[in-house]
Amino acid sequence: DVPPAFHATATIEKESASDQKDVAIIHIPLNDMPSIQLADSSTVQVQDTLTIIGFPGNGDVSNKPTNLLTSSVNQINVSSIKTTDTGAPVIQVAGNVEHGDSGGPALDSHGAVVGIVSFGLATDTPGETSFLQASNSARALAQALNLDTTPGTFQREWSQAFTDYSATTSGHWHKAAQELGQLATAYPLFRAVTPYLNNAQAQARTEQVSQSQTTPIATPAGKRSSSPSTTIVAVLLTAGA
């Protein structure tokens, strides 16, 4: 079972009809959590490659939480940009979109959400035509609620650590190891940092850098806290199959 510490009550703050734009804003009373930014879906072009993250039921091979809570990641290609009769902007895609992916985010090459897996149209030919709700529909709801979607402390530091982790400049492994180590100390429940921290530390042991580049970055020790004003508001992906 999922530990009670990871349970939270969600409240629907604003939603569109499921047969129209099929998105909603859900409020979850948690602070300083990982987040993904909503990008401008009008920048999506035909033949763009996107990445979807979902939890398709046919991927469940056991009832263990480690299986049920493990996401599936697939790449899809944009086939067309369209608008439904109800005025909803949608993105037609081709690729491995499965039942249970509905509500999952579609990410651009920068890791920002540009679409939300919504529905598919079955045909007599092999495969299905699948559609994403455009992220701008969710952005409109967020703007109507005057939501501040600025990344919090954790997300800013996590993004910076990953930027240094993937860099090619001299000393980047030392810097990433320091930053990931600080995250591991400040956020002990965020165990996803562990494999990246271990690799960065291993790479740093053989990285040739000057003495000035190995100076630790000074940051307050201990777990960070957030004020009530930083309560996370999440975008509900869509309700569907």
Side-chain angles (χ1 to χ4, degrees):
D1 294 334
V2 178
F6 294 96
H7 292 194
T9 301
T11 304
I12 297 177
E13 298 289 342
K14 196 172 183 66
E15 62 184 318
S16 62
S18 60
D19 60 350
Q20 296 178 14
K21 296 183 178 180
D22 195 22
V23 293
I25 298 295
I26 288 184
H27 173 228
I28 302 174
L30 298 173
N31 296 322
D32 199 19
M33 301 295 289
S35 62
I36 304 176
Q37 290 297 293
L38 286 170
D40 180 0
S41 54
S42 68
T43 62
V44 176
Q45 302 292 320
V46 173
Q47 291 300 300
D48 279 358
T49 297
L50 306 177
T51 300
I52 60 170
I53 303 174
F55 297 85
N58 58 8
D60 295 333
V61 294
S62 81
N63 290 321
K64 295 180 179 179
T66 51
N67 175 73
L68 298 175
L69 299 178
T70 298
S71 60
S72 296
V73 181
N74 286 299
Q75 286 194 326
I76 56 175
N77 296 311
V78 176
S79 303
S80 184
I81 309 295
K82 297 182 177 179
T83 303
T84 67
D85 287 338
T86 59
V90 294
I91 302 170
Q92 181 182 335
V93 297
N96 190 26
V97 181
E98 304 173 279
H99 290 290
D101 284 333
S102 297
L107 311 178
D108 62 13
S109 59
H110 301 289
V113 178
V114 292
I116 304 160
V117 180
S118 183
F119 64 96
L121 300 177
T123 65
D124 294 330
T125 58
E128 290 186 351
T129 300
S130 299
F131 292 87
L132 314 176
Q133 296 292 337
S135 61
N136 281 359
S137 296
R139 280 160 55 104
L141 291 184
Q143 291 167 359
L145 291 170
N146 295 315
L147 298 181
D148 180 4
T149 58
T150 303
T153 300
F154 170 85
Q155 188 58 42
R156 290 195 304 271
E157 296 185 4
W158 176 244
S159 296
Q160 181 59 54
F162 247 92
T163 296
D164 291 322
Y165 184 92
S166 59
T168 58
T169 54
S170 175
H172 78 98
W173 286 119
H174 279 79
K175 190 172 183 182
Q178 292 166 5
E179 292 166 338
L180 291 169
Q182 290 161 4
L183 279 168
T185 299
Y187 302 92
L189 293 180
F190 187 70
R191 298 175 183 174
V193 71
T194 303
Y196 301 102
L197 173 59
N198 291 342
N199 185 53
Q201 290 173 332
Q203 296 294 335
R205 283 194 287 270
T206 59
E207 184 180 41
Q208 299 298 316
V209 296
S210 64
Q211 184 62 36
S212 61
Q213 290 177 303
T214 61
T215 302
I217 302 171
T219 57
K223 187 174 181 179
R224 293 168 176 78
S225 61
S226 302
S227 64
S229 63
T230 60
T231 298
I232 293 295
V233 177
V235 177
L236 170 67
L237 304 179
T238 64

